[in-house]
């Protein structure tokens, strides 16, 4: 095993704050080394040290050697560091699509990197092939905005590969991917490692890490705390269901992007949720899951079909009464924008109980704090403004905000994307309790494994149509539609081949490793 | 890309049509007309009426517009009510000086402002940035006529190096005539333009794609000129179109102080004498120039950063 990058006793300090403390790891040619940890645990700082890069006012010490070049020594970043950037270490940022210059043709940058790092060799063409882009002249003459989001990621990868680095650093590559694309990514990364690149993978996606990594470094608050992954928690269980009367009924629900049914995105969806039961909606990104949720919540007004709550017609959100607002609550994916930046999160969570249930301020606040605590967000954290909370904490705060309305129907749209297994378990636990009290749940997600494990009934959406539906257990074990089969395969990434092992549930730690503020 | 250019050009044609109506309508709103102004002292009201008829001023506005627009399309801008000569001559005579002044100013402003903008942008809030900012802001805050008077007092009257006015001078034989007017015009334009380039540079330097290019090992100089500049130039190019507009409109103060027979002077004269055909022609020429400049700026920006067209 050839070591291509060696990090020894790396520390990063900014004034008195210690960002990274005494971290050591190696990256091997042809293998994947994973840095695992929550956001803020020092993954990115450690990885950027391979480039000899650090933020303003940050001092790096220790020893970092990439290839044969020492980029960090006891005095900080060395002068030789500039020469390794690209040529020896290439870094892929978290959203590589936004790392493309809108003013430059794709080919021009690739050619430029080729001339810079490997003049006279046709590495660009090879990189384009490895990144699975068409290498014709037309493609190369296009500008980044003329590619789709997925292709832009490939272009960014082609740029990194054109440098023919020894170490490829990938920062959270699976963020925002649906489960089928994520499986594809895992296979492609395996290929890249097979071609001899030493890969440093930064991720909090434990399944992906489990699938790919030969070496694991677990970071917490800037320190290495281990080299094995935390045990995988048994998938959450749906909890007892006592289906009662149908609460929310949607029939022939269709929706379009433009007025009068032009550019349709949802076709004739039927969905019924009974009180005390849960329905899951699964599909790839762009399949219409969120549109369906928005239709149910009354946010998508360009829709047709019938929507009944308790047998009475349910109008669009603008026309709903306060009582109807209280009874149907929606928690969506991008929660940061739904919080007022200037007010403390707990106040905003409590506000629903005040407005929709007429509770006194004191009482509402007490309930808010209690619900947040159940979800693993401490009172101290919740008293901060939203910018000081991590994505996962805000997601849970948004859920708490909806729960405080004591809704009859709760629509949850990808509410666990920023949560680790522990956080997810807390959320599922709370939702199961609500269900036992008679709340009807609609659970939307891209991960069939998770959705099927927490719901009784699943709809699979593809391109705006329901392609399969049935009891969750049946869908998982005998998927009929081709897409469902792919989703089932993708859900097994990083876990043992079927069937998923039934381990005894470990007593999980309620202290959430992700609960540090973002900065 | 090509379709963007076509769409943008089509839009310009529509704008041009709307513009000509506006020009005509607005100039028609000027109180009084040439017949009133020229002869009220000497002629009886009946004679004024007859004269008005003769000049076509009694026709309904729509008809006069149709007549005028038809002529404009064939390149005939009409006859001056005052001098009796063709309007085209007046336009040609006044445009020359303004055009020379504008081009000379831009030739200095553009490289200077881009260089200053990049210098400031790459050293955001550094000592150099603050110094240049203070100087250019101060220069742009001093009114044109103050700068002009001071420059004339120092360089023409005291030192006697440069001519104070254009009277009796000829640009072809003595280009030094340009020095003082251009110097006056520089102050504000350099300030506005360099600030836009500075802002563009700062924005671009903070962009993800620049960080990424740096991490992939693109050397600094190359990064600055090939990766940053095209993006940073976009707000500058838009500002340049506005600057060009203003300069072409003729800066009245500068023309007045240096006795330059330029566009603004001609326009003011024509308005004062209610010489409507001349006012209309001059306004139209100016408006068309503004339109073309902005069209050019948009196309340039789209060439530099194709995505910017999509953001509209």
């Amino acid at each position: 095993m050839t070591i291509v990058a060696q990090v020894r006793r790396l520390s990063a300090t900014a004034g008195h704050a210690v960002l990274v403390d005494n971290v050591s790891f190696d990256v091997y040619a042809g293998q994947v080394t994973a840095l695992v940890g929550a956001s803020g645990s020092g993954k990115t700082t450690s990885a950027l040290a391979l480039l000899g890069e650090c933020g303003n006012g940050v001092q790096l010490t220790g020893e970092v050697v990439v290839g044969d070049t020492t980029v960090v020594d006891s005095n900080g970043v060395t002068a030789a560091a500039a020469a390794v950037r690209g040529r020896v270490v290439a870094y892929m940022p978290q959203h590589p699509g936004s790392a493309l210059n809108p003013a430059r043709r794709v080919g021009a940058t690739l050619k430029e990197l080729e001339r810079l790092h490997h003049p006279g060799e046709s590495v660009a063409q090879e990189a384009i092939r490895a990144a699975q882009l068409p290498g014709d002249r037309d493609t190369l003459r296009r500008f980044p905005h003329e590619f789709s989001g997925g292709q832009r990621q490939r272009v960014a990868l082609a740029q990194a590969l054109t440098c023919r680095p020894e170490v490829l650093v990938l920062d959270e590559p699976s963020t925002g991917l649906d489960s089928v694309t994520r499986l594809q990514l895992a296979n492609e990364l395996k290929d890249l490692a097979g071609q001899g690149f030493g890969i440093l993978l930064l991720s909090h996606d434990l399944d992906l890490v489990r699938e790919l990594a030969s070496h694991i470094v677990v970071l917490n608050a800037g320190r290495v705390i281990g080299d094995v992954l935390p045990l995988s928690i048994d998938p959450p269980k749906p909890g007892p269901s006592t289906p009662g009367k149908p609460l929310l009924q949607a029939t022939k629900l269709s929706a379009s992007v433009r007025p009068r049914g032009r550019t349709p995105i949802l076709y004739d969806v039927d969905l019924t949720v009974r009180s005390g039961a849960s329905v899951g909606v699964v599909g790839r990104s762009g399949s219409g899951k969120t549109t369906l949720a928005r239709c149910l919540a009354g946010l998508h007004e360009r829709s047709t079909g019938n929507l009944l709550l308790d047998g009475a017609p349910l109008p669009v959100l603008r026309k709903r009464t306060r009582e109807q607002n209280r009874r149907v609550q929606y928690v969506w994916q991008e929660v940061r924008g739904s919080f007022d930046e200037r007010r403390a999160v707990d106040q905003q969570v409590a506000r629903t109980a005040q407005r929709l249930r007429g509770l006194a301020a004191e009482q509402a606040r007490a309930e808010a704090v209690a619900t947040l605590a159940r979800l693993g967000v401490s009172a101290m954290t919740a008293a901060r403004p939203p910018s000081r909370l991590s994505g996962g904490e805000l997601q849970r705060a948004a859920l708490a905000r909806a729960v405080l309305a004591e809704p009859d129907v709760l629509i949850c749209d990808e509410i666990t994307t920023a949560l680790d297994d522990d956080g997810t378990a807390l959320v599922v636990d709370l939702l199961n309790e609500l269900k036992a009290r008679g709340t009807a749940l609609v659970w939307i997600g891209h991960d069939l494994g998770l959705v099927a494990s927490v719901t009784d009934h699943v709809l699979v959406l593809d391109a705006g149509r329901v392609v399969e539906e049935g009891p969750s257990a049946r869908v998982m074990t005998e998927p009929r539609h081709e897409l469902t089969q792919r989703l089932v395969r993708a859900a097994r990434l990083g876990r043992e081949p079927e069937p998923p092992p039934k381990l005894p549930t470990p007593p999980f730690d309620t202290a959430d490793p992700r609960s540090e503020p973002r900065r | 890309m090509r379709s963007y250019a076509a769409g943008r050009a089509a839009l310009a044609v529509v704008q041009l049509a709307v513009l000509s109506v506006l020009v005509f309508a607005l100039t028609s709103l000027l109180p009084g007309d040439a017949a009133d102004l020229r002869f009220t002292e000497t002629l009886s009201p009946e004679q004024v009426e007859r004269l008005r008829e003769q000049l076509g001023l009694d026709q309904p506005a729509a008809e006069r517009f149709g007549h005028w627009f038809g002529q404009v399309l064939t390149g005939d801008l009409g006859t001056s009510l005052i001098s009796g000569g063709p309007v085209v001559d007046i336009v040609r005579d006044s445009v020359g000086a303004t055009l020379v002044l504008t081009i000379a100013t831009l030739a200095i402003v553009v490289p200077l402002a881009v260089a200053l903008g990049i210098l400031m942008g790459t050293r955001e809030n550094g000592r150099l940035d603050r110094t240049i900012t203070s100087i250019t802001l101060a220069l742009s805050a001093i009114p044109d006529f103050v700068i002009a008077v001071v420059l004339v007092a120092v360089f023409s009257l005291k030192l006697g190096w440069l001519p104070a006015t254009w009277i009796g001078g000829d640009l072809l034989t003595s280009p030094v005539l340009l020095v003082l007017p251009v110097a006056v015009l520089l102050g504000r334009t350099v300030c506005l333009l360099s600030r836009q380039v500075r802002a563009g540079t700062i924005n671009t330097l903070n962009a993800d794609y620049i960080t990424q290019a740096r991490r992939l090992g693109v050397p600094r100089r190359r990064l600055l000129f090939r990766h940053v500049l095209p993006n940073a130039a976009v707000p500058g190019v838009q500002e340049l179109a506005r600057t060009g507009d203003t300069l072409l409109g003729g800066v009245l103060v500068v023309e007045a102080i240096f006795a330059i027979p330029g566009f603004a002077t001609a326009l003011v004269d024509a308005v004062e004498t209610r010489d409507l055909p001349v006012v209309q022609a001059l306004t139209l020429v100016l408006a068309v120039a503004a339109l073309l400049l902005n069209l050019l700026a948009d196309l340039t920006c789209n060439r530099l950063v194709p995505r910017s067209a999509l953001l509209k």
Side-chain angles (χ1 to χ4, degrees):
Chain A
M1 286 190 296
T2 327
I3 294 181
V4 282
Q6 202 173 29
V7 175
R8 289 290 171 271
R9 299 176 309 279
L10 176 72
S11 293
T13 48
H16 292 294
V18 180
L19 309 176
V20 168
D21 187 9
N22 205 13
V23 165
S24 305
F25 60 89
D26 296 316
V27 181
Y28 302 87
Q31 294 188 349
V32 177
T33 301
L35 290 186
V36 183
S39 39
S41 60
K43 297 192 301 271
T44 303
T45 311
S46 307
L48 285 178
L50 295 189
L51 294 167
E53 185 180 322
C54 54
N56 273 341
V58 176
Q59 172 69 32
L60 294 178
T61 52
E63 193 191 353
V64 178
V65 182
V66 289
D68 328 312
T69 316
T70 304
V71 290
V72 175
D73 59 20
S74 52
N75 298 320
V77 177
T78 63
V84 309
R85 289 179 196 148
R87 193 188 313 246
V88 189
V89 186
Y91 176 87
M92 286 278 284
Q94 196 173 126
H95 299 286
S98 70
L100 302 177
N101 193 330
R104 309 204 79 214
R105 293 181 199 277
V106 163
T109 305
L110 291 175
K111 277 268 168 286
E112 176 183 39
L113 292 170
E114 180 179 281
R115 271 199 311 274
L116 272 172
H117 296 305
H118 303 277
E121 299 171 56
S122 60
V123 285
Q125 273 304 328
E126 249 169 76
I128 291 166
R129 226 171 301 126
Q132 299 178 18
L133 276 171
D136 58 301
R137 212 167 149 268
D138 252 14
T139 312
L140 295 180
R141 282 186 59 77
R142 273 148 78 187
F143 287 94
H145 74 276
E146 295 168 297
F147 290 89
S148 73
Q151 280 177 313
R152 277 208 285 271
Q153 301 204 347
R154 298 187 173 283
V155 172
L157 179 64
Q159 288 186 358
L161 294 181
T162 300
C163 302
R164 293 228 131 251
E166 290 173 40
V167 184
L168 192 58
V169 183
L170 301 156
D171 196 349
E172 299 283 5
S174 63
T175 308
L177 298 185
D178 66 49
S179 46
V180 173
T181 318
R182 180 162 150 262
L183 180 65
Q184 216 174 323
L185 171 86
N187 291 331
E188 281 165 20
L189 293 186
K190 270 186 220 161
D191 281 353
L192 285 177
Q195 290 168 30
F197 291 103
I199 294 181
L200 181 61
L201 174 68
L202 319 186
S203 188
H204 69 255
D205 179 348
L206 298 188
D207 291 334
L208 184 73
V209 170
R210 211 170 280 133
E211 176 75 11
L212 294 173
S214 342
H215 311 274
I216 291 169
V217 182
V218 184
L219 291 178
N220 186 24
R223 288 207 182 84
V224 177
I225 56 167
D227 57 0
V228 282
L229 286 182
L231 267 182
S232 158
I233 295 176
D234 204 24
K237 298 206 180 66
S241 291
T242 46
K245 58 184 169 109
L247 254 184
L248 187 69
Q249 274 181 297
T251 37
K252 296 241 168 245
L253 211 54
S254 298
S256 60
V257 179
R258 297 200 290 159
R260 289 185 297 284
R262 283 176 294 155
T263 329
I265 42 175
L266 200 65
Y267 305 87
D268 293 336
V269 174
D270 294 332
L271 178 146
T272 304
V273 211
R274 291 168 182 279
S275 72
S278 53
V279 169
V281 180
V282 190
R284 303 190 56 177
S285 9
S287 60
K289 302 189 297 284
T290 294
T291 307
L292 175 59
R294 287 171 54 84
C295 286
L296 298 179
L299 286 165
H300 196 96
E301 301 199 355
R302 284 162 187 168
S303 59
T304 57
N306 271 327
L307 197 56
L308 300 176
L309 176 67
D310 243 349
L314 188 63
V316 295
L317 187 70
R318 284 187 287 131
K319 298 180 185 156
R320 288 185 188 173
T321 61
R322 184 168 290 193
E323 178 60 9
Q324 282 171 327
N325 274 338
R326 183 192 67 73
R327 295 187 66 185
V328 182
Q329 285 285 317
Y330 173 36
V331 187
W332 61 90
Q333 214 173 342
E334 285 298 321
V335 290
R336 201 165 281 278
S338 74
F339 282 93
D340 181 343
E341 289 169 26
R342 288 174 197 80
R343 289 170 57 208
V345 170
D346 54 358
Q347 282 176 27
Q348 300 187 50
V349 171
R351 187 87 184 127
T352 1
Q354 280 172 262
R355 247 185 76 73
L356 297 178
R357 283 166 52 213
L359 251 54
E362 273 310 297
Q363 208 181 343
R365 218 188 98 82
E367 263 191 48
V369 170
T371 311
L372 284 167
R374 267 206 68 173
L375 291 171
V377 181
S378 70
M380 209 175 72
T381 310
R384 297 176 181 150
S387 61
R388 303 273 307 279
L389 268 65
S390 71
E393 286 163 345
L394 269 190
Q395 255 183 348
R396 282 173 282 175
L399 174 63
R401 186 172 54 179
V403 167
L404 245 62
E406 296 194 336
D408 294 337
V409 180
L410 182 60
I411 306 160
C412 304
D413 188 357
E414 302 268 19
I415 59 166
T416 57
T417 43
L419 301 182
D420 58 15
D421 292 351
D422 291 345
T424 305
L426 291 173
V427 166
V428 171
D429 190 45
L430 175 68
L431 292 182
N432 281 340
E433 190 187 309
L434 290 180
K435 201 168 68 168
R437 279 194 265 149
T439 308
L441 294 178
V442 180
W443 182 294
I444 293 169
H446 66 255
D447 182 356
L448 179 61
L450 175 68
V451 173
S453 67
V454 295
T455 55
D456 318 311
H457 190 89
V458 179
L459 305 184
V460 181
L461 273 184
D462 186 29
R465 289 192 169 81
V466 176
V467 294
E468 178 161 0
E469 69 173 301
S472 307
R474 200 276 296 154
V475 172
M476 269 311 270
T477 47
E478 320 161 26
R480 287 172 196 155
H481 191 266
E482 187 261 330
L483 173 73
T484 321
Q485 289 162 3
R486 279 165 66 196
L487 286 168
V488 170
R489 269 201 303 280
R492 298 221 175 90
L493 174 72
R495 304 189 184 262
E496 297 295 312
E498 58 200 286
K502 292 278 171 213
L503 298 167
T505 315
F508 51 76
D509 195 357
T510 40
D512 180 4
R514 296 180 55 77
S515 64
E516 310 138 52
R518 286 210 308 166
R519 261 170 289 196
Chain B
M1 164 73 195
R2 191 143 299 139
S3 65
Y4 171 78
R8 187 62 188 78
L11 181 66
V13 171
V14 175
Q15 285 174 325
L16 204 58
V18 174
L19 206 88
S20 54
V21 175
L22 278 181
V23 166
F24 188 83
L26 289 176
T27 47
S28 303
L29 285 178
L30 286 173
D33 58 29
D36 273 337
L37 220 65
R38 267 200 297 184
F39 306 111
T40 36
E41 303 291 308
T42 50
L43 296 181
S44 66
E46 294 80 43
Q47 282 172 307
V48 170
E49 217 36 60
R50 207 168 315 126
L51 184 67
R52 194 165 277 153
E53 217 169 285
Q54 205 183 318
L55 293 171
L57 295 175
D58 59 339
Q59 304 284 320
E63 222 156 286
R64 276 187 286 142
F65 174 73
H67 185 66
W68 173 73
F69 194 60
Q71 281 187 327
V72 168
L73 284 185
T74 58
D76 176 10
L77 292 175
T79 314
S80 164
L81 299 181
I82 305 297
S83 71
V87 173
V88 178
D89 288 350
I90 298 179
V91 173
R92 199 177 43 226
D93 291 348
S94 61
V95 153
T98 301
L99 211 56
V100 171
L101 203 56
T102 301
I103 293 174
T105 309
L106 290 185
I108 299 176
V109 164
V110 172
L112 187 63
V114 169
L116 288 179
I118 293 180
L119 269 181
M120 291 192 284
T122 48
R123 292 162 178 74
E124 188 188 356
N125 295 331
R127 194 178 299 162
L128 189 70
D129 179 20
R130 278 176 306 184
T131 312
I132 300 177
T133 300
S134 317
I135 294 175
T136 52
L137 272 181
L139 274 182
S140 79
I142 305 174
D144 286 351
F145 60 86
V146 175
I147 301 183
V149 168
V150 171
L151 288 182
V152 168
V154 174
F155 291 98
S156 306
L157 303 183
K158 189 112 184 149
L159 299 172
W161 290 352
L162 297 163
T165 71
W166 283 30
I167 296 172
D170 183 359
L171 263 188
L172 291 178
T173 52
S174 49
V176 287
L177 283 176
L178 277 174
V179 175
L180 284 183
V182 167
V184 173
L185 290 175
L186 278 182
R188 176 160 309 146
T189 42
V190 165
C191 174
L192 290 177
L193 210 56
S194 64
R195 299 218 54 84
Q196 293 290 346
V197 176
R198 172 186 183 271
T201 307
I202 291 174
N203 262 338
T204 313
L205 278 175
N206 288 329
D208 286 349
Y209 51 82
I210 295 302
T211 312
Q212 180 62 4
R214 194 181 288 136
R215 283 175 184 163
L216 289 177
V218 178
R220 188 178 160 76
R221 177 177 292 266
R222 215 182 152 76
L223 193 73
L224 213 51
F225 287 98
R226 293 298 178 83
H227 294 245
V228 176
L229 193 55
N231 289 286
V234 167
V237 169
Q238 297 289 359
E239 180 64 34
L240 187 61
R242 279 191 291 276
T243 309
D245 260 14
T246 323
L247 290 176
L248 277 183
V251 182
L252 186 64
V253 175
V254 174
E255 288 189 10
I257 289 176
F258 295 100
I260 299 169
F263 211 93
T265 314
L267 193 56
V268 170
D269 285 350
V271 170
E272 269 171 1
T273 54
R274 299 295 183 274
D275 194 348
L276 276 196
V278 177
V279 176
Q280 284 163 350
L282 290 177
T283 318
L284 190 68
V285 168
L286 194 57
V288 170
L291 211 70
L292 290 180
L293 270 175
N294 281 295
L295 174 66
L296 204 64
D298 280 357
L299 292 180
T300 310
C301 288
N302 185 54
R303 184 71 197 76
L304 285 173
V305 184
R307 196 183 58 175
S308 59
L310 299 176
L311 297 179
K312 297 197 126 182

